[in-house]
Amino acid sequence: MPYIEVLQKYAVFDGRAKRSEYWLFMLIHVIISIILGLIPLVLDWFLVVEVVYFLALLVPVLAVGARRLHDSGKSGWLQLILLIPLIGWIIVIILMALPSDDENQYGPRPV
């Protein structure tokens, strides 16, 4: 399962990640975040769990993003474009959807 694989590579910023690994991880991550975001509407104290989840997965999200960018031959630092409102998000989504290179400076194509 891609979610578990990404968590096992918690802070691995080198190497490459396939599109499926990145997008399935992000899908599960967003679903969990939405569920945790809705729970505080019912339970006021549950906001703490949402914040802890966000902080715990901040490093894996950045790591898999860097590996995904490496897969298409880009630098992981391009994630900083996310700091630009709206346009940055669109650019990063496009970069994450780019096809994989056969081989580049970050290593061979992941299996």
Side-chain angles (χ1 to χ4, degrees), residues 6-17:
V6 170
L7 293 180
Q8 288 173 343
K9 299 176 188 175
Y10 188 85
V12 178
F13 285 85
D14 57 338
R16 297 169 63 168

Side-chain angles (χ1 to χ4, degrees), residues 45-82:
W45 58 269
F46 211 81
L47 182 63
V48 174
V49 175
E50 182 182 4
V51 170
V52 168
Y53 176 77
F54 171 79
L55 293 174
L57 264 73
L58 182 60
V59 172
V61 166
L62 292 174
V64 75
R67 290 195 313 270
R68 176 66 205 126
L69 287 168
H70 290 170
D71 195 41
S72 58
K74 309 287 186 280
S75 170
W77 288 102
L78 282 173
Q79 292 180 88
L80 291 176
I81 296 173
L82 288 169

Side-chain angles (χ1 to χ4, degrees), residues 25-106:
F25 171 78
M26 290 307 291
L27 175 67
I28 294 169
H29 175 64
V30 167
I31 289 171
I32 292 171
S33 296
I34 289 171
I35 291 169
L36 290 176
L38 293 175
I39 292 175
L41 298 175
V42 178
L43 304 169
D44 293 330
W45 58 269
F46 211 81
L47 182 63
V48 174
V49 175
E50 182 182 4
V51 170
V52 168
Y53 176 77
F54 171 79
L55 293 174
L57 264 73
L58 182 60
V59 172
V61 166
L62 292 174
V64 75
R67 290 195 313 270
R68 176 66 205 126
L69 287 168
H70 290 170
D71 195 41
S72 58
K74 309 287 186 280
S75 170
W77 288 102
L78 282 173
Q79 292 180 88
L80 291 176
I81 296 173
L82 288 169
L83 298 174
I84 302 170
L86 189 61
I87 300 297
W89 285 86
I90 294 169
I91 292 170
V92 169
I93 288 172
I94 291 169
L95 289 173
M96 296 299 186
L98 290 175
S100 302
D101 291 344
D102 286 333
E103 189 165 334
N104 60 29
Q105 68 269 27
Y106 301 104

